[in-house]
């Protein structure tokens, strides 16, 4: 089951925003796999396959790479680069707060 049923990365971020770093990576990987599986599922329209299968999985994979390496996407005008940075900043803040406790 996908976290964002409509393959919207903003919805995915809203659902994972308070999760620990390892959970975020795991959930993003699971979401990308589920999105790619839509490419092979019967009863899925071509539009859904393109939007959810290829595009959404690609966004999630770029997000995973960003989270693992903190390297900004090559296209600085990427529509999701601010969300990527926001999630990483939030995770870093949460982990710092936990260390201080």
């Amino acid at each position: 089951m996908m976290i964002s049923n409509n393959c919207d990365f903003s919805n995915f971020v809203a659902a994972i925003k308070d999760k620990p770093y390892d959970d975020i990576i795991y959930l993003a990987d699971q979401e990308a796999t589920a999105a790619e599986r839509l490419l092979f599922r019967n009863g899925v329209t071509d539009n859904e396959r393109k939007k959810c299968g290829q595009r959404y999985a690609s966004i999630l994979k770029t997000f995973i790479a960003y989270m693992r390496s903190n390297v900004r996407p090559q296209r600085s005008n990427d529509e999701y680069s601010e969300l990527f940075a926001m999630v990483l900043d939030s995770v870093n803040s949460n982990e710092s707060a936990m260390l201080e406790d």
Side-chain angles (χ1 to χ4, degrees), residues 3-75:
I3 292 172
S4 175
N5 291 331
N6 62 350
C7 301
D8 184 333
F9 184 71
S10 300
N11 289 345
F12 176 80
V13 168
I16 55 101
K17 68 180 178 165
D18 294 325
K19 304 274 187 212
Y21 175 83
D22 291 340
D23 289 352
I24 290 171
I25 298 294
Y26 174 78
L27 291 168
D29 183 58
Q30 294 298 305
E31 188 84 345
T33 300
E36 287 179 327
R37 287 182 178 158
L38 287 175
L39 293 169
F40 306 104
R41 190 170 295 148
N42 291 329
V44 176
T45 66
D46 286 339
N47 189 34
E48 260 186 304
R49 286 178 208 268
K50 185 173 183 178
K51 176 186 172 194
C52 292
Q54 296 167 336
R55 185 167 189 278
Y56 187 52
S58 176
I59 293 165
L60 288 160
K61 288 177 182 182
T62 303
F63 172 67
I64 292 167
Y66 177 83
M67 291 295 290
R68 287 185 173 154
S69 63
N70 196 10
V71 175
R72 292 199 179 273
Q74 289 179 343
R75 291 174 279 144

